[in-house]
Amino acid sequence: MHLPAAFDEQRHDLAPPELAHERLQVDAAVLAPQPEDLGALLDELGRRELLSLLVEGGGQVHGAFIAAGLADEVALFVAPKLIGAGGVPLLGVDGPTKMADAWRLGAVSTRRLGDDILVVGDVLRSA
């Protein structure tokens, strides 16, 4: 099994525990938090004919992909919990501040998973 992976400088374990029994070839790239690095990473994956990428991370990672126009689809889990201003933002990057200018999703579907709701949608590009 071949597992392409890109990690920030905090990541040490290369293979997920559930794949520990598999023979893995792991290609690891250390990312700096700059959007131009993300484009270079995707270019390299494309050269290797890897055309689909699941991005796991926090608000800064996800926000960087969306702000740079590098995300095609979003899968967002919404939990029935509320936190205040000290919480972690959904997207930790500068972006639209008004609903009229918000980044939008199209072809949205929802699915309930336990108490959570999965929202999946295509990232719509500005005209």
Side-chain angles (χ1 to χ4, degrees), residues 6-9 31-35 38 41 53-68 70-71 88-93:
F7 306 108
D8 67 17
E9 48 285 334
L31 298 179
Q34 302 297 322
L38 298 176
L41 172 67
L53 177 67
L54 168 68
V55 176
E56 277 193 47
Q60 290 181 332
V61 171
H62 295 139
F65 273 90
I66 291 173
L70 299 173
V88 178
L90 179 64
L91 299 175
V93 297

Side-chain angles (χ1 to χ4, degrees), residues 75-97:
L76 173 68
F77 286 91
V78 181
K81 298 179 180 182
L82 304 172
I83 59 175
V88 178
L90 179 64
L91 299 175
V93 297
D94 291 335
T97 58

Side-chain angles (χ1 to χ4, degrees), residues 20-123:
H21 66 284
E22 299 280 345
R23 288 181 182 237
L24 296 176
Q25 177 183 346
V26 178
D27 293 336
V30 177
L31 298 179
Q34 302 297 322
E36 59 270 16
D37 296 331
L38 298 176
L41 172 67
L42 295 181
D43 288 344
E44 177 59 27
L45 292 175
R47 279 191 287 283
R48 297 177 185 202
E49 298 182 13
L50 297 167
L51 305 178
S52 181
L53 177 67
L54 168 68
V55 176
E56 277 193 47
Q60 290 181 332
V61 171
H62 295 139
F65 273 90
I66 291 173
L70 299 173
D72 295 319
E73 182 180 69
V74 170
L76 173 68
F77 286 91
V78 181
K81 298 179 180 182
L82 304 172
I83 59 175
V88 178
L90 179 64
L91 299 175
V93 297
D94 291 335
T97 58
K98 297 179 182 175
M99 291 300 286
D101 302 326
W103 292 319
R104 300 186 55 84
L105 301 178
V108 174
S109 66
T110 59
R111 179 175 162 201
R112 188 170 178 149
L113 298 168
D115 288 339
D116 297 342
I117 298 171
L118 172 61
V119 179
V120 178
D122 297 331
V123 177

